[in-house]
Amino acid sequence: MTDVKTQNAITLKGSATLVKEFFHFGINSILYQRALYPADSFKREKRYGLALFVTHDKKLQAFMDPFLQQVEYWLAKKQLKRLVMVISEVKTKEVVERWQFDIHTEDVAEDGENAHRVKDEKKIRQEMSDVLRQITASVSFLPLLEEPCSFDVLIYTGKDTQAPEDWTESGACLIPNSETVQLRSFSTSVHGVNTNVQYKADF
């Protein structure tokens, strides 16, 4: 008989892979929903019981793939504190939208004793699905992006974290007088991710 604890054991590395997968679909969903790239540069994928859109734009993939690998590495090293996706107007550089994912990491060892937590993977994927569903539904309350916009990703890590050479330091890209909507959170039992979106209030 399989020990239930072993069956549902989530290791630091396994959790990092799950959270990276969430960011892959989450960032792609935001790019698609906010029409930052043409709709025909995305393909539909069924995941978590949802129809999600993932880019097949070669340039965007060339940015996303190494970026997500780096995110997974930092998650596995317990160094990633926050990931922020910033949407700005191309002409004015004004930040109009800011998707913030705060990451809490439990004190789990990389191997040996205390090397895993227990949580049903189906439950984790259901929680991820709930957040992705909210991202998809966000177009109902977010202001229309009337000007051409681009995006950037900010990473908050521990002080002694070594960043890749081609990455640059950045400010926080805050939005003055912004509205904030708190979305659902999910937990792998190793990593917890809280999501909110801030946007420029339309006075």
Side-chain angles (χ1 to χ4, degrees):
M1 190 174 144
T2 311
D3 179 4
V4 175
K5 281 196 169 183
T6 311
Q7 200 179 346
N8 294 329
I10 304 291
T11 62
L12 187 57
K13 206 167 176 206
S15 175
T17 302
L18 283 167
V19 177
K20 172 208 173 183
E21 188 183 281
F22 166 78
F23 282 132
H24 166 68
F25 287 106
I27 293 171
N28 270 285
S29 291
I30 296 166
L31 293 173
Y32 177 79
Q33 296 299 335
R34 306 308 283 139
L36 294 184
Y37 286 79
D40 61 7
S41 65
F42 291 83
K43 62 181 188 292
R44 188 192 292 258
E45 268 189 42
K46 194 147 171 58
R47 191 60 68 98
Y48 315 117
L50 301 172
L52 299 168
F53 290 88
V54 175
T55 186
H56 54 79
D57 180 287
K58 292 277 191 287
K59 265 185 162 174
L60 188 51
Q61 283 175 330
F63 165 78
M64 290 280 281
D65 293 348
F67 161 72
L68 287 167
Q69 277 175 349
Q70 186 65 48
V71 162
E72 183 177 16
Y73 173 79
W74 277 331
L75 284 163
K77 293 288 180 194
K78 300 189 276 193
Q79 292 173 329
L80 190 61
K81 312 284 185 202
R82 178 182 291 166
L83 185 152
V84 179
M85 182 175 168
V86 173
I87 299 176
S88 328
E89 289 186 359
V90 172
K91 258 190 197 166
T92 62
K93 308 284 188 228
E94 184 184 7
V95 178
V96 290
E97 218 165 274
R98 196 174 183 277
W99 293 81
Q100 183 166 307
F101 303 90
D102 290 318
I103 297 141
H104 170 74
T105 308
E106 294 294 334
D107 187 20
V108 178
E110 287 188 46
D111 47 38
E113 287 292 310
N114 188 30
H116 68 263
R117 291 278 191 269
V118 177
K119 185 165 181 175
D120 184 0
E121 206 170 302
K122 264 171 88 171
K123 174 92 171 81
I124 297 169
R125 290 183 185 281
Q126 182 55 56
E127 288 179 12
M128 288 178 174
S129 169
D130 291 342
V131 182
L132 291 165
R133 208 184 289 273
Q134 284 191 309
I135 289 172
T136 301
S138 65
V139 288
S140 63
F141 64 80
L142 288 171
L144 205 61
L145 299 177
E146 291 172 346
E147 298 296 326
C149 288
S150 64
F151 84 101
D152 203 356
V153 184
L154 313 179
I155 294 288
Y156 292 71
T157 58
K159 280 183 181 172
D160 301 324
T161 308
Q162 200 67 42
E165 282 183 11
D166 54 348
W167 288 37
T168 55
E169 290 277 333
S170 167
C173 300
L174 300 172
I175 304 170
N177 307 315
S178 63
E179 295 280 352
T180 301
V181 175
Q182 191 68 45
L183 304 187
R184 285 176 182 265
S185 57
F186 75 87
S187 168
T188 65
S189 76
V190 175
H191 294 102
V193 180
N194 293 310
T195 305
N196 70 58
V197 57
Q198 298 146 35
Y199 59 93
K200 194 178 163 201
D202 206 4
F203 292 112

